Amino acid sequence: MEGAGGAWCEGAVLRFRYADPHHRLAGVRLWSSAVKADLAFRADLGAWELRCARPPVRRLDYHFELTGPAGDRDVTGPAELRCPGYREPDWLTAAPAAGAWRRVRLPGMTVRVWSPAAGTDRVLVAHDGPEYAHRGRLADYTATAIGSGRVRPYHLVLLEPGSARDRNYSADPGYARFLALEALPRIRARLGAGPVIGTGVSLGALAMAHAQWRFPESFAGLFLQSGSYFRARLDRQESGFRFFRRIVRFTGLVRRSKNGPGIPVTLTCGAAEENLANNRDMADALRGQGYAVAFAEYPDAHTWTGWRDALHPHLTGLLRRVWT
């Protein structure tokens, strides 16, 4: 434990503490990617403590919410708990391939493109691009996967979500049409490329799946992480989301459909996620329509680090399947 608070793993149990030797706080609450609960004050320790069952994770992002005697609230900085057995991906320290960034202007948006020094006609397009590249380390993965020879060279295109993200990424027909019929053709023309692979996380994964389902000829494959494929039966906790019903209508259409284009699709989802059940259902629905589906669960929650850690071998495997 460092400073005022800390956490550690004890086999199947997680323990959290926040030091308060003079008992000045009225309460301490744990907020994390998989566990949310109140700590109890222990006078013998001069600290707030929580012991809870360990969810199916090897690491956990968390912070404490502190309640003062007057009801005022503050939060501690973000922290990470790593349990025995967790290892960071090896590609984080691998040598990257040479490449360069540029901006490409499209009607309605400007995208950032990383292109390898080696010429290529392959393209990976990412929703939530800037955050995916920074927090999910997608750009670093791209450069090191190419540099190590794990995958063939490709362009990485980062799509910025803009202020209308929630609307556009929630099974919006207008956005799907814009992406498939306007943005992607112009991207392919600028890069001299053919059909692209699409990727996204959470709502970004849903939006990529929706665009491909409506315009299947636009994509050669999909890599979808923790997609928000809401269903009324499984996701009542999300029912207050403005576009919940539209998403539920789309996922219902997918589940009732009988035929698909059969492109390769890889879905990943954390074992501690609320989205796990609807991701399993989506994988089954797509598989039943003839998609070449790979589905992977990994020991994390709905976090950028979890999505980062799942890029290899799962995105690697999809890129190899599509770009053989």
Side-chain angles (χ1 to χ4, degrees):
M1 184 169 67
E2 297 182 2
W8 58 97
C9 298
E10 296 177 340
V13 174
L14 301 181
R15 182 180 292 192
F16 300 86
R17 280 185 187 166
Y18 191 86
D20 184 12
H22 303 292
H23 198 181
R24 292 172 175 164
L25 296 171
V28 178
R29 183 168 179 79
L30 169 73
W31 292 89
S32 81
S33 51
V35 180
K36 300 175 182 66
D38 292 319
L39 283 66
F41 186 74
R42 288 187 53 178
D44 59 324
L45 296 175
W48 298 81
E49 185 178 67
L50 170 69
R51 296 184 66 193
C52 63
R54 176 178 165 181
V57 299
R58 290 180 185 161
R59 52 162 301 281
L60 198 71
D61 298 326
Y62 73 95
H63 68 271
F64 296 121
E65 180 184 75
L66 313 177
T67 302
D72 52 306
R73 295 186 178 182
D74 195 9
V75 296
T76 63
E80 180 187 38
L81 167 62
R82 294 187 176 187
C83 296
Y86 173 74
R87 297 289 183 273
E88 287 191 329
D90 61 359
W91 55 263
L92 288 173
T93 56
W101 288 98
R102 56 177 156 157
R103 289 191 175 273
V104 175
R105 292 192 177 186
L106 304 174
M109 73 166 62
T110 299
V111 301
R112 291 188 68 209
V113 178
W114 182 87
S115 297
T120 179
D121 63 353
R122 293 173 287 275
V123 177
L124 177 68
V125 172
H127 275 155
D128 290 310
E131 197 170 16
Y132 210 163
H134 175 62
R135 298 182 64 189
R137 304 290 293 273
L138 181 61
D140 294 329
Y141 163 83
T142 292
T144 57
I146 294 171
S148 66
R150 280 177 168 167
V151 301
R152 299 174 69 181
Y154 63 89
H155 303 279
L156 174 64
V157 178
L158 306 179
L159 303 179
E160 297 187 14
S163 59
R165 176 187 185 272
D166 284 357
R167 182 190 68 204
N168 289 342
Y169 284 7
S170 297
D172 178 57
Y175 177 75
R177 188 179 304 106
F178 164 77
L179 177 63
L181 301 184
E182 296 186 42
L184 294 186
R186 285 176 168 82
I187 289 170
R188 290 196 297 268
R190 292 290 297 271
L191 300 178
V196 304
I197 295 176
T199 185
V201 304
S202 195
L203 284 175
L206 167 77
M208 201 64 78
H210 176 248
Q212 188 278 332
W213 195 77
R214 291 181 63 90
F215 302 97
E217 69 282 355
S218 299
F219 296 87
L222 296 175
F223 183 69
L224 309 173
Q225 297 194 273
S226 304
S228 299
Y229 314 116
F230 299 150
R231 298 186 61 201
R233 179 176 62 85
L234 298 173
D235 304 290
R236 292 180 182 176
Q237 75 281 0
E238 301 287 356
S239 60
F241 180 58
R242 180 182 175 188
F243 301 104
F244 178 77
R245 290 185 179 180
R246 187 166 72 189
I247 295 173
V248 168
R249 286 196 297 270
F250 165 63
T251 58
L253 286 173
V254 174
R255 289 181 56 78
R256 292 190 296 271
S257 181
K258 301 300 181 183
N259 298 305
I263 67 169
V265 178
T266 293
L267 299 91
T268 73
C269 193
E273 289 196 49
E274 290 182 343
N275 273 353
L276 181 58
N278 64 51
N279 271 256
R280 287 171 172 169
D281 279 4
M282 180 60 74
D284 288 342
L286 295 178
R287 192 177 290 115
Q289 295 175 34
Y291 286 79
V293 174
F295 179 64
E297 299 176 21
Y298 54 89
D300 211 298
H302 202 77
T303 68
W304 281 108
T305 302
W307 297 324
R308 178 201 73 182
D309 290 357
L311 293 175
H312 180 76
H314 305 301
L315 177 55
T316 305
L318 176 76
L319 299 182
R320 288 174 175 171
R321 279 200 292 162
V322 177
W323 291 331
T324 54

